[in-house]
Structures are given as structure tokens and as C-alpha cells.
Amino acid sequence: MSDTSLSTVERKTLRTLESKIETGKQAFIEVGTALRDIRDGRLYRESHKSFDSYVQDRWNFQKRYAVFLISAVDVAENVNHGSQKVVDGAVISSVPEIPNERVARELAKVPEDEQADVWEEVTTTSPKVTAAAVRSVVEKRAETAAKPQPPLKPSYPPYVQEALDNARVGNAIVDDINAALAKVRALASGSGMELLLNKHQAITSFLQSAKSAVSTTIPYAVCPRCKGAKCPQCGNYGWVTSLMSQQLKTKE
Ligand SMILES: [Zn+2]
């Protein structure tokens, strides 16, 4: 047996010691909860004028540290919100606990209404729950939020290509009719043709609006809801127009 191997007794000792460290790392939540109760109940008031001077004198904490511990409790409660169940008298949470202060500190920087989502993502996607893992999830989320949905690449799926072709044909037809109307206009400016001139103007403006209607129906992006799988939001086309893409984004 090489001298790096642990004996059965040593292995047991290591487990016991490690579980003590694990409990100690988690204790910041208990300390934070106790501090918050003392602060909120003003239980320091017999000996101190303020909570700050109490933590400084009694515990030799910087005020900042006490504030952090209390905010860590808020974060922990926030990420556990709605996920706790009482089973046989014990509170069971389906969300993993925040393992240590550094992770809590990182999570406290996230806006309150995003903490639960970030925490869920970290605990389900990161191999190890660390402050760095929290940071990387936050950065990735910021990138995705900042990046607008990219317009369709030149290799469109067939159904999008068909819609694009139709829009192009529609525009070409309108152009042809406009060209024909220009000839009619030349004729209509002759004497005795006022009625034709009036009709001509009406038809021209009708065609103009038809053309702009066509241009707003050109596919712009893969449907952000179904990612092209076709859903009621995109009318089962799998793609959306530029306008719809904006509208779906603001509704999210
Ligand atoms: Zn869709």
C-alpha cells in the first residue's frame, strides 16, 4: 500500500472533518438570520444606540460585513421562494442551498427578480457551484439579452424561402402595373380624359399601399417563440416579420 492511501479509520475521520467544514460554510446563513432578527427587533437597544455599533462592539464585525450577511439571507430566501415543501414536519427545498459566502456574495449582485433564475441555471448547468460559475451565468445572460435576434442567414428553410419569393413576385407585379399605369397616365393627360386621370390616381395610391403591405410581410427572423417549429404566435409559419419580431420581444 502506498503512503498516500488512507486507512479506513483515516477515511472516516476525513469525512467527519469535511462535514464539519461543510456545516461551518453554511453557518453564514444562520449568523445572518440571527443578525437580522436582532436588528429588526432592535434587541441591541439595552446596550447600544445603534445596530452598527452593536455589531462592531459585540462581534467585532465591520458594518459592511453584517450588512452582507443579512443580504445573503435575503438572497437565500429569494432563490428558495416557492420551492419549499414541508415533508414530515421538515422543510424540504427543491432548490440547492447556497454553499458558501463567496457564492452568496456573487448572487447578491444580481437584481432581486433575476436571482432565482440565475441560481436555477447555475445549479442545473454548472458542474461545480462556485462564485465563478455564478459570474459566468450572469455574463452569458447579459450577452444574450444585449444581442438582438440575428436576422435570417442566407440559407433559409424552404418555407421561408417560399415566402420571400412570393414577396419578391408580389413586388415585381406591383412594379409592372405601375409601369403600365405610367403609360395610361400619358394617355389620360390628353383632353377629355379627366375621368381616366382620376381613376389613375386612385389606382396608383392603392398600389402604393399594396406594395408597402407586401414589404411589411417579408420574413425577418425565425420565430423567437418556437424557434421555427411553427406555433400560433407566428401563425404556424415558423418565421416572423420585423414588426412581429419587435412585438414578441417586448411581450417577453
Ligand atoms: Zn412560432
Side-chain angles (χ1 to χ4, degrees):
M1 195 190 276
S2 86
D3 51 342
T4 56
S5 310
L6 296 181
S7 69
T8 313
V9 176
E10 282 176 322
R11 201 177 303 282
K12 222 177 146 189
T13 308
L14 177 65
R15 295 253 162 75
T16 312
L17 293 174
E18 279 184 340
S19 88
K20 278 188 185 169
I21 297 173
E22 209 59 64
T23 314
K25 281 167 84 184
Q26 262 287 321
F28 72 99
I29 294 288
E30 278 169 47
V31 175
T33 310
L35 284 171
R36 190 175 64 179
D37 290 349
I38 291 171
R39 182 196 64 186
D40 293 352
R42 297 183 56 248
L43 303 180
Y44 53 82
R45 65 182 183 275
E46 248 179 17
S47 58
H48 291 84
K49 281 211 169 94
S50 73
F51 177 68
D52 295 351
S53 61
Y54 163 77
V55 289
Q56 178 77 59
D57 275 10
R58 179 72 175 82
W59 303 109
N60 203 18
F61 284 171
Q62 291 294 323
K63 174 195 170 186
R64 252 198 357 218
Y65 185 58
V67 168
F68 159 69
L69 286 172
I70 293 173
S71 80
V73 176
D74 295 335
V75 170
E77 284 178 353
N78 195 18
V79 300
N80 279 310
H81 184 73
S83 71
Q84 289 173 328
K85 269 187 232 146
V86 177
V87 178
D88 294 334
V91 179
I92 308 282
S93 172
S94 56
V95 176
E97 285 180 339
I98 297 172
N100 59 57
E101 285 184 35
R102 292 190 54 207
V103 171
R105 200 178 285 274
E106 208 54 50
L107 208 50
K109 295 179 192 162
V110 177
E112 216 172 285
D113 58 340
E114 290 173 35
Q115 285 170 355
D117 286 350
V118 168
W119 187 237
E120 196 194 333
E121 208 174 322
V122 171
T123 53
T124 54
T125 64
S126 308
K128 211 158 172 251
V129 175
T130 59
V134 175
R135 218 164 22 242
S136 125
V137 165
V138 169
E139 279 164 14
K140 245 179 262 157
R141 284 168 61 93
E143 260 174 46
T144 331
K147 220 187 281 168
Q149 173 100 8
L152 294 175
K153 298 255 161 61
S155 61
Y156 305 117
Y159 57 94
V160 176
Q161 191 58 54
E162 193 189 330
L164 272 174
D165 291 346
N166 286 343
R168 238 175 253 135
V169 171
N171 271 329
I173 291 172
V174 174
D175 286 344
D176 286 350
I177 297 173
N178 271 325
L181 278 171
K183 288 180 194 161
V184 174
R185 185 179 166 76
L187 177 68
S189 52
S191 82
M193 303 293 260
E194 287 83 6
L195 194 60
L196 183 56
L197 192 60
N198 283 345
K199 288 281 183 217
H200 173 274
Q201 272 161 359
I203 294 169
T204 310
S205 71
F206 174 75
L207 281 176
Q208 210 46 56
S209 64
K211 194 169 181 175
S212 65
V214 169
S215 74
T216 59
T217 63
I218 291 172
Y220 171 76
V222 171
C223 172
R225 288 292 157 82
C226 61
K227 314 286 178 220
K230 304 183 181 184
C231 72
Q233 294 281 356
C234 57
N236 289 317
Y237 287 115
W239 51 266
V240 293
T241 63
S242 153
L243 184 67
M244 281 168 72
S245 157
Q246 292 301 324
Q247 285 169 342
L248 288 180
K249 228 172 274 165
T250 50
K251 259 191 270 172
E252 258 169 53

